[in-house]
Amino acid sequence: MVARRPVAVVAAIVLFGEAMGLAFVNWILGRVVDGQSMSMAGLDSDVMSASTWALGGVMGFFLAGCGLVLLLTGVRDRAPGRFGRVLLISCAITHGVLGALTVGLVGWPAFAFMMVVLGLVVLSLLAYGKPDAAGSRVQDSPPLVPGEQPPPGPPAAPASA
């Protein structure tokens, strides 16, 4: 697949931007909660602001890590390892769940953005093939040298009349 490198790099750039945006929004929310001297359901406002900042930092690092895996995948043009695939699969699941939640909370444009990111991550995962039984990545077969016979394949199915 020719477009797999650009898709991985674009997905990485989008995830880096999303990581910075999410961290920034959580920083702003933490500042707002810190400025309010109210509690919600008995929680201290300092605990709520610190939790908001911590969530923004954790999600920012998570998305930046996923972006780094995709960037390295696109630059090297090699499939990510086991840890990288697990990280990208968890990123795709997170975007799917958050996309479903954003419809009601934020609206359809946010849902569309989340689904575009989900599509980029899944396309990047699928474009680099699946592991075969030995654990190595399935690659396209090399081109045949003139005069060389193709390797034997499965028998052809009988034609039905």
Side-chain angles (χ1 to χ4, degrees):
M1 179 175 200
V2 176
R4 67 185 185 179
R5 291 180 85 172
V7 168
V9 171
V10 167
I13 292 169
V14 169
L15 285 176
F16 286 138
E18 187 179 3
M20 290 188 311
L22 190 69
F24 179 71
V25 165
N26 276 297
W27 178 73
I28 294 292
L29 288 174
R31 295 283 306 202
V32 168
V33 169
D34 197 33
Q36 303 289 323
S37 295
M38 300 184 300
S39 67
M40 182 186 303
L43 292 175
D44 186 23
S45 63
D46 293 334
V47 172
M48 289 190 299
S49 65
S51 300
T52 303
W53 289 330
L55 175 67
V58 168
M59 284 301 293
F61 280 123
F62 171 70
L63 292 172
C66 294
L68 182 63
V69 168
L70 281 170
L71 183 64
L72 292 175
T73 298
V75 168
R76 294 178 183 165
D77 199 23
R78 277 196 345 232
R82 179 175 290 162
F83 178 74
R85 288 184 75 80
V86 168
L87 192 66
L88 292 178
I89 289 169
S90 66
C91 181
I93 292 169
T94 301
H95 278 86
V97 171
L98 290 178
L101 292 174
T102 58
V103 173
L105 296 175
V106 182
W108 288 103
F111 171 77
F113 173 76
M114 295 300 280
M115 292 302 107
V116 166
V117 176
L118 171 67
L120 286 170
V121 171
V122 170
L123 183 59
S124 296
L125 279 168
L126 292 177
Y128 280 94
K130 61 179 182 174
D132 62 4
S136 63
R137 302 276 166 218
V138 176
Q139 300 292 327
D140 295 332
S141 59
L144 295 175
V145 178
E148 182 182 16
Q149 293 294 326
S160 59

